Amino acid sequence: GYIKGNKNARITIIEYSDLLCPFCKKHYTAQTIENLVKKYPNDVNMEFRQMPLPQLHPTAPIGAQGAVCVGKLAGADKFYAYLDEAFKASEFTEDSVTEIAVKLGVNKSSFASCLTSAETIATVNAQVQEGQ
């Protein structure tokens, strides 16, 4: 995952979320955890992890895979910028997540190679398992 805030903070809040979940969108948009990180910058940081729920949101896994790839290819700041854009979506396709990544400056061919790779899918599945 990617830490947002002071990497040396005493407390890390780990958020597991589905990018298409309406309740998750509301929580993310309100910046509930981010506000704690801002209020207590020396004590609290956060880390976002993927928890797509395909039984409720069938295209959520491709959105989660896109987030993993943006982070892998462009780092933490772009990862969180991807989340900002992804939480606005109502569904995901390979084209839509690629469009977000390219808009953020990620190389299109590198992203395409990463998006459906076994390693990326395994990373998302590991985060889901961890969250459960």
Side-chain angles (χ1 to χ4, degrees):
Y2 300 96
I3 300 264
K4 191 173 201 177
N6 179 354
K7 292 183 191 317
N8 297 315
R10 295 181 311 118
I11 299 166
T12 298
I13 299 172
I14 300 174
E15 175 181 1
Y16 293 88
S17 192
D18 178 325
L19 297 171
L20 295 177
C21 164
F23 300 104
C24 301
K25 288 176 187 276
K26 185 176 181 179
H27 169 73
Y28 189 83
T29 302
Q31 295 199 334
T32 308
I33 297 173
E34 290 86 344
N35 287 332
L36 287 172
V37 172
K38 289 175 189 171
K39 186 172 181 176
Y40 304 103
N42 295 320
D43 297 321
V44 179
N45 64 30
M46 70 168 284
E47 186 175 336
F48 185 97
R49 296 191 187 163
Q50 306 304 317
M51 185 67 131
L53 302 170
Q55 63 276 28
L56 297 174
H57 312 109
T59 64
I62 198 73
Q65 290 162 221
V68 168
C69 289
V70 167
K72 179 180 179 180
L73 298 170
D77 289 342
K78 297 293 183 177
F79 171 81
Y80 283 103
Y82 175 92
L83 296 182
D84 291 343
E85 293 301 315
F87 268 116
K88 296 174 188 172
S90 58
E91 69 176 356
F92 296 111
T93 64
E94 287 187 25
D95 289 341
S96 69
V97 296
T98 300
E99 184 178 316
I100 295 169
V102 169
K103 178 180 172 183
L104 295 172
V106 177
N107 178 278
K108 186 175 183 175
S109 64
S110 297
F111 183 81
S113 296
C114 178
L115 186 61
T116 57
S117 73
E119 180 183 348
T120 298
I121 293 167
T123 298
V124 171
N125 289 338
Q127 289 182 13
V128 169
Q129 286 296 111
E130 183 181 272
Q132 290 175 336

